[in-house]
Amino acid sequence: MSESVVQAIQEVRQRIQAAEAAAGRPDGSVRLLAVSKTFPAAAVREAYAAGQRAFGENYVQELQGKAAELADLAIEWHFIGPLQSNKTRIIAETAHWVHSIERLKIAQRLSEQRPTQLPPLQVCVQVNVSGEDSKSGCAPEDARALAHAVAALPQLQLRGLMCIPEPTEDANRLAGQFALLQRLQDELRADGLALDTVSMGMSADMAQAIAAGSTMVRVGTAIFGARHYHS
Ligand SMILES: *Cc1c(COP(=O)(O)O)cnc(C)c1O
């Protein structure tokens, strides 16, 4: 087993703990999702051996392949990428969580296609908190209606909201975007939805996300190293 993945996971756990403490939040209030996209199944095995159980993937075929290859492990698979309607069935049958719900039609398909012998698919609504055209997610003003509609679907369980903020060095801008997601989550809870998940924070901004209320950080690079995309 390579020292590096195991060591990196330990360092990330320490960073999470330090950020929880700095924000005056209880130890263990933030879950770590290890984002393994582009890394081979062997890397996931190493992280698993270090005690990591939740893994995130962005590409449908890649998740499907790794889930099959790693079927001997008790992994909780999280789909965090853009999802097209012709790929929903694979995700409904393979994933435990989907963080990237941005349209009701996709959520309806996932609910219809979720095998009834499996527990409901755990989902988050993704919100475009930066307003960038290039970004996935529903508009902040549409989040409330979409979340209520998703929460009503029988084979889905809405757990909360997810965002990918604008990549920026400006700490105030970043904090404002995280705060927007947290405010939307608070509104939904005030409406009576039982939500427990705010999925925000990646390798570069996990401490700020935790300060802003994140309950799940999605960390790839800081665990597995830099990604190399092949065409
Ligand atoms: C790739 C990815 C991550 C992980 O990003 P890092 O900067 O490598 O930690 C988190 N969330 C989403 C949605 C991603 O696509």
Side-chain angles (χ1 to χ4, degrees), residues 154-178:
Q155 296 302 322
L156 302 188
Q157 183 175 357
L158 181 68
R159 298 292 293 267
L161 301 178
M162 179 273 228
C163 74
I164 306 172
E166 175 185 0
T168 173
E169 306 274 290
D170 183 338
N172 287 327
R173 273 182 86 81
L174 187 63
Q177 293 175 17
F178 285 144

Side-chain angles (χ1 to χ4, degrees), residues 77-79 83 91-92 95-104 106-111 114 119-126 146-147 149-162 185 188 194-199 216:
W77 289 109
H78 293 236
F79 187 74
L83 186 52
I91 294 303
H96 302 86
W97 282 67
V98 175
H99 293 227
S100 44
I101 302 286
E102 55 178 339
R103 286 189 290 142
L104 184 57
I106 297 290
Q108 284 166 333
R109 287 178 68 89
L110 288 170
S111 182
R114 180 70 168 174
L121 190 60
Q122 310 296 300
V123 302
C124 294
V125 164
Q126 182 174 354
L146 178 57
V150 169
L153 294 170
Q155 296 302 322
L156 302 188
Q157 183 175 357
L158 181 68
R159 298 292 293 267
L161 301 178
M162 179 273 228
Q185 174 94 348
L188 292 169
L195 306 181
D196 62 3
T197 302
V198 179
S199 168
M216 198 182 306

